[in-house]
Every structure is written in C-alpha cells, then in structure tokens.
Amino acid sequence: MSLLGTRVVRTEDPVFLTRGATYTDDLTDERLTGALHLTLVRSPLAHAEITAIDTSAARDAPGVVAVVTGADLDIRAARLFPGANKAMRREFLATDRVRFVGEPVAAVLTEELYQGEDAAELVDVEYEPLPVVVDPVEAARDETLLFPEAGTNTATSYGYEEALDPAFFDGCEVVVSQDLVNQRLAASPLETRAASAVWDGDDLLMFISNQNAQGGRDEIARWLGLEKDSVHVILPDVGGGFGAKIGSDPEFALVAWLARREGRPVRWNESRSENMTGMVQGRAQRQTVTIGGTRDGRVTHYRLEVLQDAGAYPRLGAALPAFTRMMAPGTYDIANVESRASVVVTNTTSVAAYRGAGRPEATAAIERAMDLFAAEIGMDPAEVRTRNVVAPEKFPFTSKGGAEYDSGEYAKAIELALEKAGYDRLRAEQAARRERGDVRQLGIGVSSYVEITGAGAFAEDATVQVHPDGAVTVLTGTSSHGQGHATAWAMLAADELGVPLESITVKHGDTALIPDGGGTMGSRSLQTGGIAVQKASRELADLAKQRAADLLEASVDDLEIDPEGAGIRVRGVPGASSVTLADLAAREELKLQTTWDGEKATFPFGAHVCVVEVDTESGKVTVERIVAVDDAGPILNPLLCDGQRHGGIAQGIAQALLEEVMFDEEGQPLTGTFADYGIPSAAELPSFDLVEMSTPTPVNPMGYKGIGEAGTIGSTPATQSAVIDALSHLGVRHIDMPLTPMRVWEAIHAAQEAGK
C-alpha cells in the first residue's frame, strides 16, 4: 500500500517535543569554541548625518575585545537589490548617514554575551538630524531625499513605459475606484536572525538561520569578495522564516568579516526588539483600484496602481510589485487590464518577502474591487465572482497580467465554499439581524484567489543513497523550517524504494553536502524538490533492478520492488529468490543524483468564506467561521497540508484584523515589541473548515502545486470583506486593514455623520 496521500505523522516532531530544536544560537560545535559575541550599536534616529563616533570608553569596558566602526571596514557598501537605483546601497556599518532606526553604526566584540550590551551603550555617536520621510506618498514627491546622489527616492518602477490610457474606461456602464492600504507586516519568526562564523585559513564556515543555504552562501561570498567554493554554509534548525529569511543579511557578512579580523569565531543573535526593527518586513503597498463593467455583472476593465514602500534600502521588496502586477486580474477573465507600480525608499525598515510575497497584495486589491463593483450594481458579491472567473475549458489560460495559468476550476471552488458555509442561511440570518437592529451584526466575506508557486525556481537537485546497513539518505536542495520535508521526502523515497520510513534520513541546508539548491520559498518545495526526490528514488530503484537482474538471473522487466523485504524480487513468482537493497549497496555503491526541471510555475487557487460578528457599539470583530477551499492538486500528506493551511489562514486573518508595523512621523517604531504588535493567539481564531478539492497540474508527473502560502492569500480579503459587509447597511463602504475595533468604530460613526 502506498504511503502517498496518507496522514503520516511528522517524523521531525519527537525531537522538537522532547529535546528541543538546535537553533543557530544553541550550537555547541567545537569549531565555535572561544567565540566572541557581537553586539551592534544601532541608530536611535531614522535619518541623520553621523558627525563623530567615540569608541574609547567602550574599548575600556570589561570583556571588550574590539570596537569596530564603518571606517575600519574594507568591504564596500552592498547593493541589496540589483534592480534598484545604483546609488541606493547600504554600508555594513553606517559611516556618513543613517536612514532608519536600528541601522548598525558600530560593532562591539566581547568575551561574554552579557558584556556586549553594557559596552555598546558606551559608544558615543554624534548625529545631526535630517528631515524624515515615512509616508511613501510623501517620499514619492522627492522633497526629502534619502540618497541625494540618486536625485530621487524612486528605486525602480514597473509599467511606466507608456502613460495610462485616459479613455480606458470609456464605454463602461459602471466605474468604481478606491484607494487601498496593504499595510506593513513583521514576519515575527520564532527564531530571530542569528549567525556564527569561523575561518580555517582562507575558508569560511558559517552557521546561519536562513531559508536557502546555497543562496545565503552566494550572497555572503559576493559581499566579502570570495569565491563561493571557499564559503561553507550550514543551516541548523530554523525557527520560521515566512520569506524574511530568504537569501542573506548584511549582518551575516559583517559577522564573517569580524571573525577574520580577530582570528577567532564570532557569534551573533539579535534580540526580539532588534528583530522587530532590523529584520526585513512585508507588504507595505499603497494601491488604487479602478474597476469597470456592465450593470448585469460583467467586469470588462480593471486598473491597478501600486506604490511600494521599499524601506530605507531596496531589497526584495522592490521586486514585489512585479508579482502583484502579474497576478493583478486574479481568477477573473477580464478583457482589459492596466497596471503599473513605483517603488520608493523611506526612513523605515527595509521591505522584502513575506508569506505570499506580492501575490496576497494582488488578491487583496482585485477582491476589494470586486466587492465595490458588486455593491455599486446591487448584486451579490459571490454572484459577481462566479460570473467573471475563468471558465475551466479555457485552461491553460494566459491572463492579462501575463501569467499562464496551468489548470483550474475557479467557479467550482467558490460554489464548494459557499455550500459548506451555508451561504443562503447566513444571508437570511444577516437580514434578520439587520431588521431587528441587533448590536452584533453578521458579515459574510467571499474571496476567490489564484497564486503562482515555484516561480523562477523550477529546477531542483536530489541525491538518494542506500547504505550497506539498509539505511537510506536523501539529500535535497530545499530547506525545511517547519514544512515537514523530512517526513514528506521520506514518504516519496519509501514509496519508490519499498524501504521503511524510519530507515530514511533527509539532509538539507549544508552547502558541502548539497552545493546546488534553490532553498524553500514561493511554495516551490514539493513541485521541485519533492519531485526531484521521487525521480531520484525511482531511477535508483531502476538501477537496483539492473544490478539485481544478474544476481537473480532474471530479466529486468520481470523484477519489482519488494516492500516486505526492502529489496528486489521476481514479479508474480511466489517464493522466488530476492535480494535486498542493502546487499546490493554492500557489493557496490548504490547512489543516484538527478535534477528535476518543471520549466514552468504552477498556479494553485481556491475560495474562502469568512463569517464575522461585529459589535457596532465597540467596533470589536469576532471571526466565527472561515471555510477554505485551497486547491493545490493531489495531496502528498494531508496532515502536513492542513498544517500549512492552518498557519496561512491564521496569518491572513491577523493581517485583516490585527497586525500592522507602525512608525511615528519621526520614523520611531511604535511596534517594536510583541506587547505593541498584534500577533493573534488561539483565542482570536476560529476552528477552520477545510474543504478538499484537487485539480492536478500538467507541469509535473504527480500534478502537485504549492500550498504554503495559499491560506494567507485567500483569508485576508475574505475577512476584510466580511467586516465591511456586516456594516454595509449602515453606509460603510470601505475600511483599510487592519480592521481594529477603533478603526471599525470610527467607520461606523463617520457613516452615521455622513447620513445625517
């Protein structure tokens, strides 16, 4: 019986639940013996000239080995996003100017960790404050420049080659426009950023908390001017990433440089408050949607304009609008679509990927637009969606965003979600509450979404080896930080090789073992790394059959995997002789490396229905139910899949209702701790109704698509829509996220005042 499609319990969990994980800061590797501890001196101002740095007092503090400033470094300022303005570089330690609160200005190395914080406070930095720009709209005016040599705050732009057509919406019976905020979020991983470095001659070994060992290695090597073969990166257990740990961080290269300078290992682990101000953040888009069509519910025109806040130094966030534009039409067959985006720098923390990375922003925009359109023509929002989605017979379908959707049944997903939610009964209850004038009003939000997974990283390597003792090792270029790869990849190998699951060890995150790999991001792992493992296991089984044929004096075509004996046997002959894989491995190395290249991305899709109660006197929102149809093709392990959906839905609801990174007008963080930043607990979340639906992709032989980000993409607009729907009869047309009690209360009272 095949393991595929069954709820195999995670093989990783016993260690996590007993001994506990070994994160980068937990390492006791003997190579780190005698390591110094790095503490960074960070800017308290969002924008200022550095006029002087006095390190003398810090150098004399107990346990201090060295205090280093930017003037001591011989590594050049880094261009963190190649597509951005060339002048917008970040120094590893600021020398002339700081551009956000928390930017590193000096490095203190101490014998003991506790000594670093006291010594860092003794570094005297003199600043000359400069005007601060936090609002991206204001930044786009170029009145306060972060990089005077660039002459602009615009880092890059998309779709500005031609002007928008002023007659674009001519002929539409209905046109609706709305400004939207897709607010800035903090990834808030369990484990903050951490790195340790040790040199052996000219060779560098680094332990880092990261989503891609190979990508991290390449960036560190580039920043330090090294050949990548001289850099060895190992990922210990990684406590969450959510996109914020893609690639590397300038701090990692600084750790390595300091270790080389001092001739001793160096360790660094940031505090939670440092993480909330220094680690890259997500989303941070201002959007304007304009939607047009006919009064019978057909959407014919859609325009999306995006202003992306890149933070102080352009990083991967500068590329997010490209995905937002690509996915702008969502699941809808809209004949005419325009979009453009501008990326600006502000005196805030840099923006990069966060679960979904550009695709949730696109879905939030088009779904809000569909609701506004439905309200304008007086049609049920679910009906408007089903009338406009791409029909199944049109796949593969190239959208007006330029994406080639592989497969999908979008209307079916909406109908399944509505049926499971009991949509008609909910609408009837909503009408009754409105008639009675209840304080607690009911809202129902519907979203339809499609996303791109595996984009730009279609290929992955895998190596599978059977050892003489019967154990199996799988090497993969994907990197697990909670996804369950050790379980999933073992399932794939066990299914092809007929060996017990407990005999298989999956290894990842070590560039010495796996020099090439794409890491884990963009929900790519199963459709690339998983398929590569399956392909390598299947090819290894074929190789084993070829070798067994001589021993068993049988034709290869007559041989099959023997799951009872973990070997090869003659097909259909009871009691026939067999040979174990372990015996074959003892005779000759039984190992195979292969590459899978899907050549294309896949496009998972789904529909969510969210049901909320809104207290109209206090503005408090309670999520009562959320029904999720998330179609990622066939499911390898429903337990792992459900876990990904649960986590994504929780983060999506949190964006809609709670989370927002905020700065005051001077660029000071207002959400620098978990006491200020609204991460949800179980108390704020309902049980999730997960509905199964499977539409395979033709891109890979198993039909797999990605699932890691789906819940985040579908749940956010459904939740936002539900809250606004609960209040629409009171005249509330739109509320920006997060829909906090205060913001909801203000919207209710603003509508009441407008209606007088």
Side-chain angles (χ1 to χ4, degrees):
M1 178 180 175
S2 174
L3 286 172
L4 306 190
T6 63
R7 298 179 73 87
V8 176
V9 175
R10 284 167 40 111
T11 59
E12 299 94 326
D13 287 347
V15 170
F16 290 131
L17 296 173
T18 54
R19 185 201 73 196
T22 302
Y23 300 120
T24 301
D25 196 47
D26 299 327
L27 289 171
T28 57
D29 192 290
E30 62 180 14
R31 289 167 290 188
L32 297 175
T33 301
L36 299 172
H37 296 272
L38 168 63
T39 302
L40 292 170
V41 179
R42 297 181 178 275
S43 170
L45 300 179
H47 200 197
E49 297 286 354
I50 299 173
T51 58
I53 303 178
D54 183 355
T55 63
S56 57
R59 293 178 192 276
D60 294 334
V64 172
V65 174
V67 182
V68 175
T69 68
D72 301 314
L73 301 180
D74 59 7
I75 46 179
R76 297 180 57 198
R79 191 176 174 200
L80 302 181
F81 178 69
N85 189 299
K86 294 181 180 180
M88 296 178 179
R89 297 173 178 268
R90 175 177 159 181
E91 295 179 287
F92 292 91
L93 291 173
T95 56
D96 301 320
R97 179 182 290 216
V98 291
R99 295 179 174 87
F100 70 99
V101 171
E103 180 165 2
V105 175
V108 178
L109 293 173
T110 55
E111 294 287 357
E112 301 294 339
L113 177 61
Y114 73 89
Q115 296 165 330
E117 187 172 345
D118 291 339
E121 292 181 356
L122 298 176
V123 176
D124 185 11
V125 185
E126 295 183 10
Y127 298 98
E128 184 64 37
L130 294 169
V132 173
V133 57
V134 173
D135 188 331
V137 176
E138 181 183 343
R141 300 189 186 107
D142 291 337
E143 294 172 358
T144 296
L145 294 178
L146 272 68
F147 300 87
E149 60 273 31
T152 179
N153 286 328
T154 299
T156 189
S157 61
Y158 303 87
Y160 276 79
E161 299 80 10
E162 297 181 5
L164 296 176
D165 180 5
F168 186 68
F169 291 96
D170 288 359
C172 291
E173 295 176 0
V174 179
V175 179
V176 188
S177 186
Q178 180 68 50
D179 293 332
L180 310 174
V181 175
N182 203 289
Q183 78 272 28
R184 180 185 288 251
L185 303 176
S188 308
L190 172 68
E191 180 195 20
T192 59
R193 294 178 298 167
S196 299
V198 58
W199 291 82
D200 182 5
D202 293 330
D203 293 329
L204 169 64
L205 168 64
M206 290 206 73
F207 301 92
I208 61 176
S209 180
N210 189 261
Q211 295 177 218
N212 180 5
Q214 295 78 13
R217 171 202 61 196
D218 294 353
E219 284 193 307
I220 291 167
R222 175 166 56 87
W223 290 337
L224 294 175
L226 303 172
E227 294 296 327
K228 69 178 185 179
D229 292 342
S230 67
V231 180
H232 178 193
V233 167
I234 296 176
L235 309 185
D237 291 323
V238 176
F242 309 114
K245 293 182 182 176
I246 292 174
S248 191
D249 282 285
E251 287 88 343
F252 295 174
L254 179 62
V255 170
W257 187 92
L258 291 167
R260 181 169 59 183
R261 179 182 188 267
E262 298 302 318
R264 292 175 60 178
V266 172
R267 306 180 72 141
W268 172 68
N269 184 59
E270 68 181 353
S271 67
R272 179 59 63 183
S273 59
E274 285 181 298
N275 180 266
M276 294 294 286
T277 55
M279 188 183 204
V280 290
Q281 297 168 347
R283 308 287 190 258
Q285 285 189 4
R286 302 289 183 90
Q287 304 168 329
T288 300
V289 294
T290 309
I291 189 168
T294 61
R295 290 203 169 273
D296 64 359
R298 183 64 188 167
V299 175
T300 59
H301 292 72
Y302 178 61
R303 174 184 288 164
L304 173 63
E305 299 172 81
V306 174
L307 180 61
Q308 174 73 60
D309 184 352
Y313 298 96
R315 298 192 66 175
L316 189 57
L320 297 183
F323 284 107
T324 305
R325 294 182 69 227
M326 179 188 297
M327 303 308 297
T331 58
Y332 305 108
D333 189 357
I334 304 174
N336 305 282
V337 176
E338 283 187 340
S339 69
R340 65 180 184 181
S342 180
V343 181
V344 297
V345 290
T346 61
N347 292 120
T348 61
T349 305
S350 291
V351 172
Y354 174 69
R355 200 167 191 170
R359 290 100 78 200
E361 295 89 324
T363 301
I366 185 64
E367 290 304 288
R368 190 83 278 277
M370 295 299 286
D371 276 350
L372 291 165
F373 182 78
E376 185 68 21
I377 64 174
M379 184 175 288
D380 185 277
E383 176 66 19
V384 168
R385 285 169 168 79
T386 55
R387 288 193 183 193
N388 285 282
V389 293
V390 179
E393 63 270 15
K394 289 193 173 184
F395 289 91
F397 176 81
T398 300
S399 79
K400 292 299 181 178
E404 184 184 328
Y405 298 168
D406 50 355
S407 61
E409 291 196 51
Y410 302 155
K412 179 181 177 181
I414 296 171
E415 290 161 2
L416 277 175
L418 296 176
E419 179 183 354
K420 178 67 174 179
Y423 189 67
D424 291 340
R425 293 193 302 275
L426 289 170
R427 286 296 181 198
E429 181 182 348
Q430 180 186 63
R433 291 195 189 193
R434 290 179 175 181
E435 179 68 23
R436 294 193 301 266
D438 289 1
V439 170
R440 297 179 65 85
Q441 288 293 320
L442 192 71
I444 308 108
V446 181
S447 73
S448 174
Y449 76 90
V450 60
E451 67 146 330
I452 181 171
T453 60
F458 312 130
E460 190 57 81
D461 292 345
T463 299
V464 180
Q465 180 175 7
V466 178
H467 302 282
D469 63 355
V472 177
T473 298
V474 173
L475 304 180
T476 175
T478 61
S479 172
S480 180
H481 43 281
Q483 292 83 353
H485 292 177
T487 305
W489 289 191
M491 290 173 64
L492 291 163
D495 192 67
E496 295 294 335
L497 297 172
V499 299
L501 198 69
E502 57 270 19
S503 298
I504 302 173
T505 299
V506 178
K507 295 185 177 181
H508 66 89
D510 187 328
T511 61
L513 290 175
I514 309 120
D516 299 309
T520 294
M521 62 207 70
S523 302
R524 69 179 293 271
S525 294
L526 179 57
Q527 67 197 59
T528 55
I531 296 295
V533 169
Q534 184 186 53
K535 182 172 182 280
S537 301
R538 184 170 296 168
E539 292 174 357
L540 186 63
D542 291 340
L543 177 61
K545 290 176 186 176
Q546 293 170 14
R547 294 181 182 176
D550 292 336
L551 294 174
L552 300 177
E553 298 181 346
S555 168
V556 171
D557 294 338
D558 293 332
L559 299 181
E560 66 180 3
I561 291 292
D562 175 15
E564 289 82 15
I568 307 295
R569 67 187 178 193
V570 179
R571 182 184 298 107
V573 181
S577 58
S578 63
V579 60
T580 67
L581 295 176
D583 288 341
L584 293 173
R587 291 171 177 270
E588 182 181 355
E589 182 181 70
L590 191 54
K591 179 180 180 180
L592 193 138
Q593 184 275 333
T594 193
T595 299
W596 162 258
D597 188 349
E599 299 182 351
K600 292 182 178 181
T602 63
F603 293 84
F605 64 93
H608 288 195
V609 174
C610 182
V611 183
V612 302
E613 281 192 340
V614 180
D615 188 316
T616 57
E617 292 181 346
S618 69
K620 182 181 178 180
V621 175
T622 303
V623 180
E624 296 293 329
R625 290 184 66 195
I626 189 154
V627 177
V629 177
D630 300 305
D631 190 328
I635 303 303
L636 170 61
N637 183 329
L639 188 68
L640 298 180
C641 179
D642 288 354
Q644 289 295 304
R645 295 170 75 184
H646 285 176
I649 292 168
Q651 286 179 289
I653 292 173
Q655 176 175 6
L657 300 182
L658 298 169
E659 296 189 33
E660 183 176 22
V661 173
M662 295 187 292
F663 301 87
D664 68 15
E665 61 184 12
E666 294 301 318
Q668 292 295 322
L670 301 177
T671 48
T673 70
F674 283 171
D676 308 305
Y677 186 74
I679 294 176
S681 69
E684 286 76 47
L685 299 170
S687 295
F688 305 139
D689 293 330
L690 305 183
V691 183
E692 294 184 5
M693 181 172 168
S694 175
T695 307
T697 177
V699 170
N700 62 68
M702 295 299 291
Y704 293 144
K705 303 182 183 184
I707 192 62
E709 295 154 302
T712 318
I713 297 171
S715 60
T716 304
T719 305
Q720 182 183 23
S721 294
V723 177
I724 298 169
D725 177 68
L727 307 173
S728 60
H729 68 295
L730 301 177
V732 175
R733 181 174 181 270
H734 175 74
I735 310 173
D736 276 320
M737 299 185 293
L739 289 84
T740 60
M742 177 60 75
R743 192 167 285 176
V744 171
W745 184 88
E746 289 175 342
I748 294 170
H749 283 262
Q752 290 173 343
E753 288 298 317
K756 289 182 179 179

